Amino acid sequence: MKILGISAFYHDSAAALVVDGQIIAAAQEERFTRRKHDPAFPAQAVQYCLNYSGLDLKDLDAVVFYDKPLLKFERLLETYYAFAPQGVRSFITSIPVWIKEKMFLKRLLREELEKIYGEEAAGVKLLFPEHHLSHAASAFYPSPFEEAAILTIDGVGEWATASICKGSGKELSILKELRFPHSLGLLYSAFTYFLGFKVNSGEYKLMGLAPYGNPASADVERYVDIIKKELVSIKEDGSIWLNQDYFNYATGLRMVHEAKWEALFGFPQRRPEDELQEQHCNLGLAIQRVTEDIVIRMAQEAKRLSGSRYLCLAGGVALNCVANGKLQESGVFDDIFIQPAAGDAGGALGAALAAYYIYFKQERKLSGRQDEMIGSYLGPDFSDQDVELVVRRYKGVYTYFNDIHELCTETARLLAEGNVVGWVQGRMEFGPRALGGRSILGDPRNAEMQKKLNLKIKYRESFRPFAPSVLAEDCDQYFNYRGISPYMLLVHPVATSRHKDLPADYHQLPLRDKLYYLRSDLPSITHIDFSARIQTVHKETNPRYYELIQSFKKLTGYGVIVNTSFNVRGEPIVCTPEDAYRCFMRTEMDYLVVGNYLFAKTAQPDWQEKDNWKEEFVLD
């Protein structure tokens, strides 16, 4: 049985292919179009999935869209009715688009498929599972658990903004839902907006900013009290009620009523390029604490309702790896699996899996592997011939290694000497994280590496932390954590034995002074609060990346390296060898490794293209 899942028309469009229950291919459209969070129909992702598998559209048993457009339209109409006369401007803007395009989604999907596959599209079966059911399926079916509680949390689907489900074998049932306009995802996005970051993109930045808040500050406690008294009422079961007097997302074109928030917190809304001040950091810490409180309460309710020892997580809020780490430390569940493409892109995969197990009632058989995501390496890979085409086009100069062991040894040496290396190997990752397939790497011992990566390679805000990739079996040597974290979705502390002492006035220091204070013997991956967003690297899912880190360990004694996504600010992660070479040449990256090819920046011809990537990729 062959099923194609699609998510599209909101943000992070994607396609995923499931054949006889196995996940064969999955990719976000943005990687092909080079437009970050691309919401368009994922034409290139669909073609990639089918080409990779050797299938035609007519071979499919179904194409499955990740939510129910009519239910979403019903929610829009009822919301405008409930808030009228507020929202007239938004109503006039959005409803004609819905009527023209999304109300007739079945026809629209066929038309888009016809552009690629012609008349084959006429006969394809179309299915539409609900949004949060797609998220739940994306987390449970690839998990290693025979049965589990499932918690999905995001902005909003049709009506649901969070759900608690129970999965058992092939069965999946919804136990409880939280409904719009009350949404933890939208609450977090409202603070993302107020603090000057872009909604549906800057939530990562807010999470990274929060540790710069002073945990002992009375302001943090005051902000938490204000949030809980004025903005959100939190129930014992984790459900929430948001005071719509302060929010504008239900019917307006903005997230909040800015003047009311400014009066509430006592400072103006931050503009995107404004300098970050202490109050921004403290407010970020406050909403992060409130979020963690709600997530843990929701998980406790999921435990109570399901009686399960295991939990699966999905939805955009499941990408909050700080909250995930706190949830894991709480011990509510024995083990947790988090879908690596937890946002809407993963909805494409969940939709396909929901159709396979729920609609077509296929049996579920666990393989005994770590999980069924294959390390999330589900995107396209490229041959030597593809690299040679790039070499000829740009007259690139390279060294070719027949022996991967020699390539890893040389790359490890370059890293240990303080160089920044672009690393492109095998299939591209599915989901927002680079996991050693499309990564930029550095030496975590190097105190200058964080500054160099942020300012000279990524061209992004200096406060943003970098994540470590560590050999799975060495994890507890560097971190206060013994489990696995293959998808970089858990934050845990750097091992206490590696900490450096802090001065007594540390929390009173300006943000930049705090940022560059030497906090551990792994300064480039130790965040301001001694935490790290860990990726454990496993030989069975990425043998080349595993060997590289092993080579680095033999050379330095450290089985851990810095790993950040291979892109610049505002750019989607690179997909092809050409994307990688262009990014390499337009930044101050020192070396590039694509497959068995090693490029040194100093050996390349001058970059002739004078296009300005800062105009091409706007601030995200």
Side-chain angles (χ1 to χ4, degrees):
M1 181 158 282
K2 307 165 188 72
I3 301 173
L4 180 72
I6 290 174
S7 60
F9 307 129
Y10 186 47
H11 58 83
D12 297 306
S13 294
L17 181 68
V18 171
V19 176
D20 296 334
Q22 302 297 308
I23 304 167
I24 302 299
Q28 295 112 298
E29 185 69 1
E30 66 166 24
R31 305 295 171 84
F32 304 98
T33 62
R34 314 306 301 152
R35 182 185 173 200
K36 199 160 188 180
H37 306 299
D38 195 336
F41 179 81
Q44 295 187 61
V46 166
Q47 290 176 83
Y48 152 68
C49 287
L50 294 188
N51 289 343
Y52 184 84
S53 61
L55 297 174
D56 291 321
L57 193 66
K58 61 180 168 50
D59 299 322
L60 300 179
D61 294 279
V63 173
V64 193
F65 190 71
Y66 79 136
D67 67 15
K68 286 184 181 295
L70 284 177
L71 270 180
K72 191 173 281 187
F73 187 64
E74 173 193 277
R75 187 250 297 168
L76 281 176
L77 287 179
E78 289 198 20
T79 301
Y80 284 120
Y81 179 75
F83 284 84
Q86 296 179 49
V88 170
R89 186 174 160 210
S90 170
F91 182 89
I92 292 170
T93 304
S94 62
I95 293 302
V97 177
W98 269 92
I99 291 173
K100 183 179 176 186
E101 295 182 358
K102 299 177 186 177
M103 274 282 288
F104 301 101
L105 192 64
K106 189 174 281 190
R107 186 179 69 192
L108 178 62
L109 289 174
R110 287 196 194 282
E111 287 174 352
E112 293 290 345
L113 291 169
E114 275 178 10
K115 292 177 186 173
I116 312 170
Y117 298 102
E119 293 179 356
E120 286 183 28
V124 72
K125 185 182 188 65
L126 294 176
L127 298 172
F128 297 87
E130 289 186 23
H131 185 95
H132 274 258
L133 182 68
S134 295
H135 276 318
S138 78
F140 175 63
Y141 292 120
S143 81
F145 310 133
E146 173 62 30
E147 63 86 27
I150 311 162
L151 179 58
T152 67
I153 317 171
D154 70 358
V156 60
E158 295 89 358
W159 277 103
T161 64
S163 74
I164 293 172
C165 303
K166 174 72 183 281
S168 181
K170 67 180 179 182
E171 306 295 333
L172 198 162
S173 54
I174 298 172
L175 304 178
K176 197 170 189 175
E177 285 185 346
L178 181 67
R179 306 196 104 197
F180 186 83
H182 308 296
S183 163
L184 177 57
L186 291 174
L187 174 66
Y188 203 83
S189 291
F191 279 86
T192 303
Y193 171 82
F194 186 69
L195 288 170
F197 304 120
K198 193 172 181 179
V199 172
N200 288 329
S201 176
E203 282 77 3
Y204 299 120
K205 298 183 187 179
L206 175 54
M207 185 178 66
L209 178 69
Y212 289 94
N214 182 351
S217 167
D219 277 346
V220 175
E221 292 303 320
R222 187 167 63 84
Y223 293 152
V224 169
D225 285 345
I226 292 172
I227 293 168
K228 289 185 175 179
K229 285 178 182 171
E230 302 295 338
L231 297 184
V232 54
S233 173
I234 305 171
K235 313 299 182 190
E236 195 58 36
D237 65 355
S239 61
I240 59 175
W241 181 89
L242 298 187
N243 183 353
Q244 293 301 308
D245 289 345
Y246 288 94
F247 297 92
N248 195 36
Y249 56 76
T251 54
L253 300 175
R254 306 185 312 278
M255 289 302 295
V256 305
H257 295 293
E258 291 89 347
K260 289 184 177 180
W261 278 54
E262 289 173 359
L264 201 59
F265 294 111
F267 60 86
Q269 182 187 15
R270 178 179 170 269
R271 304 299 167 194
E273 299 283 2
D274 286 353
E275 190 76 16
L276 285 160
Q277 306 291 337
E278 186 178 0
Q279 68 261 26
H280 304 134
C281 304
N282 285 337
L283 186 60
L285 179 57
I287 186 58
Q288 180 63 32
R289 283 184 179 176
V290 171
T291 300
E292 291 161 11
D293 178 21
I294 296 169
V295 168
I296 289 175
R297 287 178 193 240
M298 285 183 173
Q300 289 169 333
E301 180 69 357
K303 170 92 172 183
R304 187 185 72 79
L305 291 175
S306 69
S308 178
R309 295 166 54 197
Y310 306 105
L311 177 69
C312 299
L313 277 174
V317 177
L319 295 172
N320 191 314
C321 40
V322 180
N324 295 343
K326 296 286 173 60
L327 175 58
Q328 194 176 49
E329 287 173 3
S330 74
V332 176
F333 287 93
D334 291 358
D335 201 0
I336 300 173
F337 172 78
I338 308 163
Q339 164 56 238
D344 277 4
L349 174 61
L353 291 168
Y356 183 79
Y357 289 110
I358 300 172
Y359 183 85
F360 290 109
K361 302 184 185 304
Q362 299 298 298
E363 288 304 312
R364 179 173 179 241
K365 296 173 185 172
L366 294 177
S367 66
R369 291 193 294 253
Q370 183 175 285
D371 58 60
E372 304 303 319
M373 289 299 295
I374 326 173
S376 214
Y377 304 109
L378 296 165
D381 57 2
F382 297 91
S383 66
D384 282 1
Q385 187 178 9
D386 296 313
V387 184
E388 293 286 352
L389 289 174
V390 176
V391 167
R392 287 202 288 276
R393 177 169 182 174
Y394 295 107
K395 297 181 173 52
V397 179
Y398 63 86
T399 304
Y400 186 86
F401 288 78
N402 286 308
D403 184 339
I404 183 62
H405 178 70
E406 291 180 8
L407 174 63
C408 288
T409 301
E410 175 63 8
T411 306
R413 184 186 68 78
L414 296 171
L415 290 171
E417 290 178 351
N419 294 294
V420 174
V421 179
W423 179 257
V424 176
Q425 299 290 339
R427 299 183 71 182
M428 181 179 70
E429 302 89 339
F430 181 50
R433 302 283 187 251
L435 301 168
R438 303 289 185 276
S439 293
I440 297 173
L441 310 177
D443 183 346
R445 304 167 305 157
N446 189 322
E448 296 298 314
M449 189 54 63
Q450 181 181 4
K451 185 187 292 185
K452 182 175 181 179
L453 285 170
N454 268 332
L455 302 183
K456 294 188 175 182
I457 311 296
K458 305 280 283 189
Y459 303 101
R460 68 184 197 183
E461 300 89 338
S462 59
F463 72 87
R464 297 181 65 182
F466 288 100
S469 293
V470 61
L471 297 173
E473 62 272 22
D474 288 356
C475 186
D476 63 351
Q477 293 182 31
Y478 303 99
F479 308 101
N480 291 339
Y481 178 60
R482 286 184 174 275
I484 65 168
S485 178
Y487 303 117
M488 208 185 276
L489 288 168
L490 293 168
V491 165
H492 286 287
V494 170
T496 311
S497 61
R498 297 184 176 276
H499 291 194
K500 305 286 186 188
D501 292 335
L502 298 178
D505 64 344
Y506 178 72
H507 288 300
Q508 279 70 53
L509 294 175
L511 186 146
R512 290 187 187 283
D513 291 348
K514 274 197 239 181
L515 176 63
Y516 297 122
Y517 199 90
L518 196 66
R519 294 180 292 277
S520 79
D521 68 336
L522 297 165
S524 294
I525 56 89
T526 303
H527 200 14
I528 206 85
D529 59 351
F530 292 100
S531 68
R533 181 159 48 94
I534 303 167
Q535 180 201 2
T536 54
V537 179
H538 304 258
K539 189 174 185 177
E540 55 271 29
T541 50
N542 194 337
R544 283 198 173 202
Y545 196 38
Y546 182 89
E547 177 152 356
L548 172 63
I549 302 174
Q550 267 210 328
S551 298
F552 187 77
K553 182 181 178 181
K554 286 176 186 171
L555 195 64
T556 66
Y558 283 71
V560 55
I561 59 175
V562 180
N563 173 11
T564 186
S565 56
F566 198 146
N567 59 341
V568 295
R569 182 183 87 171
E571 180 192 21
I573 296 174
V574 301
C575 176
T576 65
E578 176 158 357
D579 296 338
Y581 189 83
R582 287 172 61 82
C583 187
F584 167 61
M585 292 303 296
R586 295 199 291 185
T587 67
E588 296 176 59
M589 210 178 303
D590 301 301
Y591 291 88
L592 170 67
V593 180
V594 185
N596 289 21
Y597 294 74
L598 172 65
F599 299 85
K601 177 65 68 62
T602 53
Q604 305 309 307
D606 289 341
W607 185 243
Q608 296 299 320
E609 297 192 13
K610 302 303 179 188
D611 49 343
N612 186 344
W613 66 264
K614 289 184 181 178
E615 292 177 1
E616 182 178 344
F617 303 117
V618 298
L619 178 67
D620 59 355

